[in-house]
């Protein structure tokens, strides 16, 4: 079979994973590369290898914080906010030496799937051993490592309206394809795949509903955010996240404006302008950090969707989310 490729190019995977891939349904994702269906969700080989490896080797601790998102739903942002909240008293978070100014949040809060992947590109070197440890992942709820589900570690989850999420993913992969001189598939074809649920970690609605239901069943373990809500009132959500993580802001911190400082530090404009995010690369897979900052808007989809696409997507979302009480702000 053709050699497995990852987002950033030629990562090989182990013989065990190669053999597993041969047995799995295969399709392609928006940049034309292969994805495989495993336990109902679609994965690039490198992420599938990471999933299997993290399930074997990752042991969650009660004090861990796991930042989980459906991809392109604000991962980079939520990681930065979580890191800033958790470490606000340990590091000079607001100084010129702040780790958030010199390191992209994906490197500060490593992806579990990369950190525990056999091809980890030395990610594990950057895993903090200080408690609480913070990890990120896009793994669907049903496939999470058992120790995450069974320990008292906490999960903060964020999703995004599927219209903007799809555009963000499509534009991201178009940029990567351009960088790698690969011909991406057309916008229409990508939309078709999206509607069939064939995209990394998809179907997106199953991912979102998995965490939505789990958060309703266990609200002390899973805090469920939507990108649009956090955008609308970031301070409120920063406060809520700190309460959830067991490190609430004191009255003194509130009166000193610490919440607003965190909101400003992690704002789209501020993060996009940081030198590390303009010129640096993500240690996990070598992608340019700048790829993670595009527009950071709610409602950007209106510039791309045709009326028939909007109609189809609306119908699909109505069907998939019906009965769940889950709604999304579209603009
Ligand atoms: P990932 O899942 O690959 O890690 P993720 O960070 O979730 O990516 O998605 C990137 C999106 O978040 C981009 O959205 P856009 O394409 O619609 O613009 C990016 O601009 C947006 N984003 C990144 N940082 C922030 C931030 N600090 N505030 C708000 N949005 C942000």
């Amino acid at each position: 079979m053709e050699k497995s490729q990852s987002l950033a190019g030629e990562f090989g995977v182990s013989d065990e994973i190669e053999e597993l891939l041969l047995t799995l349904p295969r399709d392609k994702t928006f940049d034309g590369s292969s994805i495989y269906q495993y336990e109902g969700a679609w994965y690039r080989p490198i992420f599938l290898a990471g999933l299997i490896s993290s399930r074997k080797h990752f042991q969650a601790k009660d004090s861990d914080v796991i930042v989980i998102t459906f991809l392109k739903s604000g991962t980079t942002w939520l990681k930065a906010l979580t890191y800033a909240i958790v470490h606000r008293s340990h590091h000079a978070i607001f100084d010129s030496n702040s780790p958030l100014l010199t390191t992209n949040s994906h490197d500060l809060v490593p992806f579990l799937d990369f950190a525990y992947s056999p091809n980890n590109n030395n990610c594990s070197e950057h895993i903090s051993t200080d408690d609480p440890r913070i990890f990120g992942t896009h793994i669907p709820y049903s496939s999470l490592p058992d120790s995450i589900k069974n320990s008292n570690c906490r999960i903060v989850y964020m999703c995004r309206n599927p219209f903007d999420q799809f555009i963000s993913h499509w534009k991201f992969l178009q940029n990567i394809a351009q960088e790698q001189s690969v011909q991406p598939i057309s916008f229409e074809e990508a939309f078709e795949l999206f509607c069939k649920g064939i995209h990394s970690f998809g179907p997106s609605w199953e991912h979102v509903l998995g965490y939505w239901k789990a958060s309703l069943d266990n609200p002390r373990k899973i805090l469920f955010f939507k990108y649009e809500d956090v955008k609308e009132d970031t301070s409120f959500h920063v406060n809520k996240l700190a309460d959830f993580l067991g490190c609430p802001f004191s009255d003194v911190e509130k009166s000193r404006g610490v919440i607003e400082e965190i909101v400003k530090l992690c704002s789209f404009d501020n993060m996009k302008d940081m030198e590390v995010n303009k010129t640096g690369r993500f240690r996990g897979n070598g992608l340019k950090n700048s790829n993670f900052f595009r527009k950071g808007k709610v409602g950007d989809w209106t510039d791309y969707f045709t009326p028939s696409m909007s109609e189809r997507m609306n119908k699909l979302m109505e069907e998939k989310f019906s009965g769940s009480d889950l709604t999304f702000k579209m603009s």
Side-chain angles (χ1 to χ4, degrees):
M1 78 184 262
E2 130 197 349
K3 187 78 188 156
S4 316
Q5 290 203 342
S6 86
L7 195 60
E10 297 290 333
F11 285 103
V13 289
S14 66
D15 291 347
E16 180 198 351
I17 300 295
E18 289 281 3
E19 273 170 36
L20 172 65
L21 294 177
L22 285 170
T23 67
L24 300 178
R26 168 179 165 167
D27 213 308
K28 63 183 170 187
T29 186
F30 308 162
D31 63 354
S33 54
S34 297
I35 54 173
Y36 298 81
Q37 195 178 33
Y38 181 74
E39 296 180 351
W42 292 91
Y43 298 90
R44 293 172 183 276
I46 188 75
F47 280 103
L48 182 57
L51 161 68
I52 288 172
S53 184
S54 63
R55 283 223 296 236
K56 267 192 208 152
H57 304 295
F58 177 67
Q59 192 54 49
K61 299 204 260 180
D62 289 346
S63 52
D64 286 347
V65 178
I66 319 287
V67 175
I68 309 185
T69 50
F70 190 64
L71 73 179
K72 302 298 155 207
S73 299
T75 323
T76 318
W77 186 25
L78 189 59
K79 282 181 170 183
L81 289 170
T82 307
Y83 186 91
I85 291 168
V86 166
H87 292 295
R88 67 188 189 270
S89 56
H90 297 292
H91 291 292
I93 282 286
F94 309 111
D95 290 2
S96 53
N97 292 328
S98 170
L100 279 161
L101 292 176
T102 53
T103 314
N104 178 271
S105 59
H106 284 302
D107 288 322
L108 290 173
V109 177
F111 277 106
L112 203 59
D113 341 29
F114 279 134
Y116 283 84
S117 154
N119 321 68
N120 81 0
N121 268 6
N122 298 325
C123 268
S124 52
E125 277 177 18
H126 306 288
I127 296 175
S128 163
T129 46
D130 297 343
D131 286 341
R133 305 180 304 173
I134 316 175
F135 295 99
T137 186
H138 297 308
I139 297 174
Y141 184 74
S142 54
S143 295
L144 280 178
D146 285 341
S147 74
I148 294 186
K149 288 185 179 168
N150 299 335
S151 70
N152 289 325
C153 73
R154 274 170 266 212
I155 295 174
V156 52
Y157 181 78
M158 186 145 81
C159 62
R160 188 177 192 184
N161 85 56
F163 290 63
D164 280 330
Q165 188 278 330
F166 166 67
I167 295 299
S168 182
H169 193 189
W170 160 245
K171 296 299 275 181
F172 177 80
L173 290 185
Q174 253 198 334
N175 284 344
I176 309 290
Q178 225 167 34
E179 263 176 44
Q180 296 176 354
S181 309
V182 176
Q183 184 63 38
I185 60 173
S186 71
F187 182 60
E188 291 70 21
E189 209 182 337
F191 183 71
E192 200 56 43
L193 287 173
F194 181 89
C195 292
K196 288 186 189 152
I198 302 172
H199 42 267
S200 287
F201 300 96
S204 66
W205 47 88
E206 284 188 9
H207 199 281
V208 173
L209 284 170
Y211 283 99
W212 172 244
K213 287 176 187 154
S215 73
L216 296 176
D217 288 346
N218 199 349
R220 282 171 48 183
K221 182 165 183 78
I222 305 178
L223 180 65
F224 190 96
F225 280 172
K226 297 178 207 166
Y227 180 92
E228 297 76 25
D229 295 345
V230 182
K231 218 38 213 177
E232 195 168 277
D233 191 347
T234 314
S235 299
F236 172 83
H237 288 86
V238 164
N239 194 36
K240 192 167 174 180
L241 180 52
D243 285 348
F244 173 77
L245 295 178
C247 52
F249 290 97
S250 66
D251 290 342
V252 174
E253 285 181 301
K254 284 182 185 170
S255 65
R256 279 197 197 138
V258 174
I259 296 179
E260 287 71 25
E261 285 287 313
I262 290 176
V263 171
K264 197 168 128 203
L265 180 66
C266 302
S267 70
F268 177 78
D269 289 340
N270 200 42
M271 287 184 76
K272 187 175 182 165
D273 266 0
M274 290 173 188
E275 200 49 41
V276 65
N277 290 331
K278 287 202 278 195
T279 56
R281 284 180 185 270
F282 170 40
R283 288 183 195 128
N285 58 13
L287 293 178
K288 286 183 186 166
N289 289 337
S290 57
N291 284 311
F292 294 98
F293 304 90
R294 196 178 61 91
K295 291 191 183 167
K297 269 177 57 179
V298 178
D300 185 44
W301 63 274
T302 51
D303 287 343
Y304 300 91
F305 273 62
T306 62
S308 70
M309 280 175 158
S310 304
E311 196 187 336
R312 179 157 172 213
M313 184 79 123
N314 270 323
K315 271 198 190 135
L316 186 68
M317 293 308 138
E318 266 169 39
E319 181 198 318
K320 299 298 179 189
F321 290 108
S322 98
S324 71
D325 275 342
L326 193 55
T327 55
F328 296 97
K329 290 179 188 141
M330 304 302 297
S331 57

